[in-house]
């Protein structure tokens, strides 16, 4: 007797958002749009049904570093929008370099069209890639890049 088992492998990905992204839909809608991230995340979960998607948000730098350490050796990929910490946090940049999971850095707005201090990232050097300026669709593109 031969038993055939179909194994379905679900990639395990996490989106980690930094400070003030919990205010999406209310904060500077001309820059970030009118949709909350929670609503958009439900859309992503529906679209990527064969991917296990999780979401974490923190306004605290250490919380983001702790989450990177927690998931960085067991998840298949991380989508990281460190928000303002992108431009200030050597610690988050070092955490990205220290973990094994590939990290895709994302930004909703085109940071190069904004203030000069937003043109530098401490995360990019350790990231697999960077996606900026496509609104919330930046997350969709990051997921696609990790599952491809």
């Amino acid at each position: 007797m031969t038993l055939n088992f179909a194994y379905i492998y679900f990639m395990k990905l996490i989106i980690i958002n930094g400070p003030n992204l919990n205010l999406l839909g209310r904060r500077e809608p001309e820059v970030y749009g009118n949709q909350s991230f929670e609503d958009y995340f439900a859309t992503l979960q529906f679209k990527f049904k064969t991917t296990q998607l999780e979401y974490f948000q923190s306004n605290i730098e250490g919380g983001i570093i702790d989450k990177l350490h927690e998931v960085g050796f067991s998840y298949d990929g991380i989508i990281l929008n460190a928000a303002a910490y992108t431009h200030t946090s050597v610690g988050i940049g070092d955490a990205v370099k220290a973990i094994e999971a590939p990290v895709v850095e994302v930004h909703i707005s085109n940071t190069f069209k904004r203030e000069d201090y937003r043109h530098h990232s401490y995360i990019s050097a350790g990231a697999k890639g960077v996606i900026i300026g496509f609104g919330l669709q930046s997350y969709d593109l990051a997921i696609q890049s990790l599952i491809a």
Side-chain angles (χ1 to χ4, degrees):
M1 175 196 290
T2 304
L3 296 175
N4 292 322
F5 293 98
Y7 292 99
I8 299 174
Y9 177 71
F10 290 95
M11 284 193 76
K12 192 172 186 178
L13 305 177
I14 187 168
I15 295 169
I16 300 175
N17 276 344
N20 301 310
L21 292 172
N22 56 306
L23 297 178
L24 287 177
R26 296 184 289 175
R27 173 188 174 215
E28 297 178 84
E30 67 281 1
V31 175
Y32 300 105
N34 294 313
Q35 188 173 23
S36 74
F37 191 79
E38 289 75 14
D39 288 344
Y40 187 69
F41 185 68
T43 301
L44 291 173
Q45 288 179 305
F46 182 78
K47 180 175 182 178
F48 296 101
K49 291 178 184 173
T50 60
T51 303
Q52 182 180 335
L53 282 176
E54 296 179 23
Y55 170 57
F56 175 80
Q57 190 276 329
S58 180
N59 292 315
I60 301 168
E61 182 179 15
I64 295 167
I65 293 170
D66 286 344
K67 184 55 84 169
L68 288 166
H69 291 175
E70 177 189 329
V71 302
F73 297 93
S74 58
Y75 282 52
D76 298 305
I78 298 167
I79 296 101
L80 174 62
N81 185 344
Y85 288 138
T86 301
H87 321 292
T88 63
S89 180
V90 173
I92 292 175
D94 285 348
V96 167
K97 291 176 185 173
I99 61 176
E100 294 175 356
V103 174
V104 176
E105 176 184 349
V106 302
H107 298 283
I108 296 166
S109 68
N110 182 345
T111 57
F112 293 100
K113 286 186 170 185
R114 299 183 67 194
E115 303 91 345
D116 287 345
Y117 70 87
R118 294 187 194 273
H119 298 181
H120 176 74
S121 168
Y122 285 100
I123 295 162
S124 297
K128 175 183 179 180
V130 180
I131 300 171
I132 65 169
F134 293 96
L136 290 174
Q137 188 182 5
S138 295
Y139 294 94
D140 187 312
L141 296 168
I143 294 167
Q144 289 181 51
S145 76
L146 288 168
I147 64 176

